[in-house]
């Protein structure tokens, strides 16, 4: 099955070296004036990441949004993330700088489709990846991330019975991975993220062959990278040196590698509690070694914070074209204008938010 990359959108106009600090200063001043907190996803443009109060993955950003003290949250990410912030913070004003910042994975299933699917299996339990709209979450029993999908599904079997039918979606790659890990079949929705659908086994093998000593980092909390996880589980990609790391885990990896230095010093720790790490020895002890190169299978925006954290390590994209056009729609001028004009507000209706909050809370409770 050939899954091509989606066409890349026209890139935003390049800012001059003088424009960036000027715009960043404007953004910071407006944020103070509006009592606003700026949250940015790891895949945002570097100059946007640099001006944010917090940078992280969708779950970490949601948690930070829930704890935010400001009156306004400006979400530099995609639309479903801003919706989640609105669900968790109904008393706050949530802004997104560009309404076109969508998500192909979230768009692969809507509420009507999920309702019809549920009707086919009225006793089934719905587990949906967090990359979904608020309307879909409102019809969902449990949300999950890539990092905890296996644990969420295991919890469903343990609490609802081993014969429970599970409707899992919308990411077919993550669904296939969970099935392999648990040895159980589910009903899996046929959806995917257009970006990481383009990271193919051939790309990975070619990149790793060109860098034979490099570690291989997979970001399991990015639904887009679950296709790579499936290739590893199926044996299509060698598991040697493969590390399943969340965004925070990747950054900890980079920080440890940076501390190791170019010649000696402490070794980098390349595992993360709760995630399967193919490099760990059978006894479960943490594997450590000095890191010089690391191939990264996720959206290329993640390379910026990794390189900032560990300038002594060469981070290499598994596919240099794996760039999300939706994430890149948000620019410094749009962020400035969003704060200046208090646009564009994302607010989830109360009845939908109340129902959508239930599967999110269940996901957080499971861990």
């Amino acid at each position: 099955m050939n899954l091509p990359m989606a066409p890349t959108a026209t890139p935003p106009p390049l800012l001059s070296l003088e424009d960036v600090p000027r715009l960043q200063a404007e953004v910071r001043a407006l944020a103070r004036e509006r009592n606003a907190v700026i949250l940015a996803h790891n895949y945002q443009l570097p100059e946007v990441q640099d001006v944010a109060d917090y940078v992280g993955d969708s779950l970490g950003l949601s948690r930070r949004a829930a704890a935010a003290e400001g009156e306004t949250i400006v979400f530099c990410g995609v639309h479903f993330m801003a919706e989640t912030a609105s669900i968790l913070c109904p008393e706050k004003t949530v802004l997104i700088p560009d309404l076109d910042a969508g998500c192909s994975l979230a768009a692969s299933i809507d509420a009507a489709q999920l309702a019809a699917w549920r009707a086919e299996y009225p006793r089934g339990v719905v587990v949906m990846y967090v990359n979904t709209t608020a309307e879909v979450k409102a019809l969902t029993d449990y949300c999950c991330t890539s990092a905890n999908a296996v644990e969420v599904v295991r919890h469903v079997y343990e609490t609802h019975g081993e014969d429970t039918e599970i409707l899992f979606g919308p990411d077919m790659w993550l669904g296939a991975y969970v099935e392999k890990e648990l040895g159980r079949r589910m009903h899996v929705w046929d959806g995917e993220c257009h970006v990481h659908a383009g990271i193919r086994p051939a790309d990975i093998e070619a990149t790793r062959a060109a860098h034979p000593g490099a570690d291989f980092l997979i970001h399991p909390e990015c639904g887009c990278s679950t296709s790579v996880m499936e290739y590893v589980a199926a044996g299509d990609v060698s598991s040697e040196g493969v590390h399943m790391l969340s965004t925070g885990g990747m950054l900890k990896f980079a920080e440890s590698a940076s501390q190791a230095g170019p010649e000696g010093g402490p070794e980098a720790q390349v595992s993360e509690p709760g995630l399967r790490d193919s490099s760990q020895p059978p006894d479960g002890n943490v594997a450590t070694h000095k890191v010089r190169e690391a191939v990264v299978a996720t959206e290329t925006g993640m390379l910026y914070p990794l390189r900032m954290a560990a300038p002594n390590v060469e981070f290499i994209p598994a596919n240099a074209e794996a760039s999300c056009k939706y994430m890149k729609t948000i620019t410094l001028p749009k962020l400035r204008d969003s704060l200046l004009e208090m646009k564009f507000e994302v607010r989830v209706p109360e009845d939908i938010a109340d129902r959508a909050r239930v599967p999110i809370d269940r996901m957080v409770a499971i861990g």
Side-chain angles (χ1 to χ4, degrees):
M1 178 171 58
N2 184 27
L3 301 173
M5 295 289 291
T8 301
T10 302
L14 293 177
L15 297 175
S16 71
L17 292 177
E18 294 76 18
D19 286 336
V20 171
R22 175 181 57 79
L23 284 167
Q24 288 177 331
E26 287 185 45
V27 166
R28 292 188 180 101
L30 284 167
R32 288 191 297 270
E33 181 180 327
R34 306 296 193 202
N35 192 19
V37 174
I38 301 172
L39 305 179
H41 194 272
N42 289 302
Y43 303 158
Q44 290 291 297
L45 294 167
E47 59 268 23
V48 173
Q49 292 191 38
D50 286 345
V51 81
D53 296 296
Y54 177 79
V55 179
D57 58 47
S58 57
L59 184 59
L61 288 166
S62 297
R63 287 172 170 160
R64 185 56 65 100
E69 296 182 355
E71 298 175 1
T72 300
I73 297 171
V74 186
F75 217 115
C76 300
V78 292
H79 198 269
F80 81 83
M81 297 177 184
E83 281 188 334
T84 303
S86 177
I87 291 168
L88 295 174
C89 313
E91 76 286 356
K92 298 183 187 299
T93 299
V94 178
L95 306 176
I96 189 168
D98 192 324
L99 288 173
D100 289 332
C103 172
S104 59
L105 181 57
S108 68
I109 188 169
D110 60 29
Q113 291 171 313
L114 178 54
W117 199 27
R118 289 199 69 144
E120 294 180 43
Y121 307 94
R123 300 183 65 181
V125 175
V126 176
V127 179
M128 283 280 135
Y129 189 68
V130 75
N131 292 38
T132 48
T133 65
E135 290 82 4
V136 167
K137 288 182 175 73
L139 296 175
T140 294
D141 297 303
Y142 292 84
C143 283
C144 70
T145 67
S146 297
N148 68 6
V150 173
E151 291 307 314
V152 169
V153 172
R154 182 181 286 117
H155 171 84
V156 172
Y157 284 130
E158 291 174 350
T159 56
H160 293 263
E162 292 297 320
D163 295 330
T164 302
E165 287 189 301
I166 294 180
L167 282 64
F168 188 97
D171 193 322
M172 64 181 180
W173 299 105
L174 182 57
Y177 177 77
V178 172
E179 287 181 325
K180 285 186 180 295
E181 288 294 292
L182 295 180
R184 303 286 299 273
R185 298 288 293 177
M186 304 181 295
H187 302 287
V188 178
W189 191 259
D190 188 20
E192 65 185 9
C193 163
H194 75 279
V195 176
H196 286 80
I199 301 180
R200 312 303 296 169
D203 300 325
I204 297 166
E205 293 293 356
T207 305
R208 296 186 76 190
H211 305 274
D215 284 75
F216 182 31
L217 312 184
I218 301 177
H219 180 196
E221 288 189 359
C222 169
C224 312
S225 69
T226 53
S227 57
V228 183
M229 296 162 64
E230 161 64 7
Y231 298 143
V232 173
D236 295 331
V237 172
S238 171
S239 63
E240 184 178 357
V242 173
H243 312 294
M244 304 284 191
L245 298 172
S246 68
T247 296
M250 282 190 174
L251 289 173
K252 288 178 181 176
F253 174 98
E255 289 165 0
S256 294
S258 178
Q259 291 171 5
E263 300 293 340
E267 297 176 321
Q269 298 198 0
V270 291
S271 68
E272 183 176 10
L275 297 178
R276 184 165 58 85
D277 186 343
S278 301
S279 72
Q280 289 193 42
D283 62 5
N285 291 332
V286 174
T288 60
H289 64 275
K290 293 182 174 59
V291 181
R292 296 293 175 266
E293 293 182 324
V295 175
V296 182
T298 189
E299 208 272 355
T300 55
M302 187 64 204
L303 297 174
Y304 176 69
L306 290 176
R307 288 166 175 165
M308 293 291 288
N312 59 310
V313 176
E314 182 180 3
F315 291 98
I316 305 152
N319 183 328
E321 300 301 315
S323 176
C324 178
K325 63 180 182 179
Y326 302 112
M327 284 285 185
K328 303 305 190 282
T329 62
I330 294 176
T331 62
L332 272 178
K334 290 179 183 178
L335 173 55
R336 185 267 318 274
D337 293 345
S338 181
L339 280 163
L340 183 65
E341 302 174 32
M342 294 297 288
K343 64 176 186 181
F344 301 93
E345 184 174 2
V346 175
R347 184 168 293 279
V348 178
E350 185 176 354
D351 60 327
I352 293 175
D354 288 343
R355 287 181 286 137
R357 195 176 296 113
V358 173
I360 296 172
D361 287 344
R362 287 174 176 169
M363 171 185 68
V364 174
I366 293 171

